[in-house]
Amino acid sequence: MTDNRGGGGVHETEPGESLPDTEPQVFDTDRVEDKRAILEPTRLRLLQQILATEWGSLSAPELAYRNTDLSESTVRDHLRDMANRPRPFVEKLKVEDGKRAKGIPWTYYAVSEYGIELLKEVGAYEGITVLYQMYDRMEREPIADIEAFDHRPTPDWL
């Protein structure tokens, strides 16, 4: 009798011989739920867009500009939800006091280290280079002032 369970190998058993005991696999149900949440199409798109920049951080207005099908308030709602999870997918980065400029956002978002881990695990990290190239060619005149802002906070983990 052949048993293909377990560590990938094949175990031959004799008639009457029992199979070796295997311990049940334990799943991190919170992590499984996080993977489901990160795969929600709008969230996934926002996370990939944040990573597809030279800065590794974007503001809600920049993300709304890239997503004409979403209002800025909807973008903010998604970002808030992803930042307020027990294990956040994004982290808020604030412009330092004294370096803020009129008409420029004070809050930016970067994908957390945990968010990057999840994107890699679900196979959604590799395509970011293509997005980077696509956004590099995109017309961005309406957000040029934000993109040119010298004091944009950037994550130190990328």
Side-chain angles (χ1 to χ4, degrees):
M1 185 189 276
T2 302
D3 173 36
N4 290 326
R5 293 185 294 169
V10 174
H11 177 77
E12 295 291 329
T13 59
E14 298 295 322
E17 180 184 0
S18 63
L19 296 173
D21 288 335
T22 57
E23 292 191 32
Q25 219 172 2
V26 178
F27 291 100
D28 179 345
T29 54
D30 291 335
R31 192 173 189 99
V32 171
E33 179 54 37
D34 286 346
K35 286 180 182 179
R36 282 190 190 111
I38 210 166
L39 286 170
E40 190 277 320
T42 302
R43 289 181 186 156
L44 180 60
R45 182 173 27 148
L46 295 173
L47 294 170
Q48 288 176 322
Q49 289 170 345
I50 292 168
L51 288 168
T53 66
E54 61 187 84
W55 315 283
S57 65
L58 287 175
S59 63
E62 290 170 298
L63 285 163
Y65 179 78
R66 286 169 167 78
N67 295 280
T68 56
D69 60 325
L70 301 174
S71 69
E72 190 173 323
S73 65
T74 299
V75 168
R76 286 183 197 284
D77 289 344
H78 281 286
L79 292 168
R80 187 178 320 113
D81 289 347
M82 291 189 288
N84 292 332
R85 298 181 66 81
R87 292 187 277 188
F89 302 157
V90 297
E91 292 191 25
K92 279 180 160 181
L93 305 175
K94 297 279 188 183
V95 174
E96 293 179 35
D97 289 337
K99 296 188 177 182
R100 295 177 176 172
K102 186 176 181 180
I104 302 295
W106 296 358
T107 304
Y108 293 79
Y109 296 85
V111 181
S112 68
E113 290 178 277
Y114 180 63
I116 292 169
E117 273 180 43
L118 290 176
L119 288 171
K120 288 179 178 179
E121 287 177 20
V122 299
Y125 187 79
E126 295 73 28
I128 291 170
T129 306
V130 173
L131 286 175
Y132 181 87
Q133 293 167 354
M134 184 177 83
Y135 291 123
D136 193 45
R137 295 184 190 118
M138 177 178 115
E139 166 57 43
R140 297 191 311 258
E141 183 60 34
I143 56 172
D145 290 345
I146 299 171
E147 289 187 339
F149 181 58
D150 289 334
H151 303 292
R152 171 192 298 268
T154 58
D156 58 4
W157 56 88
L158 289 178

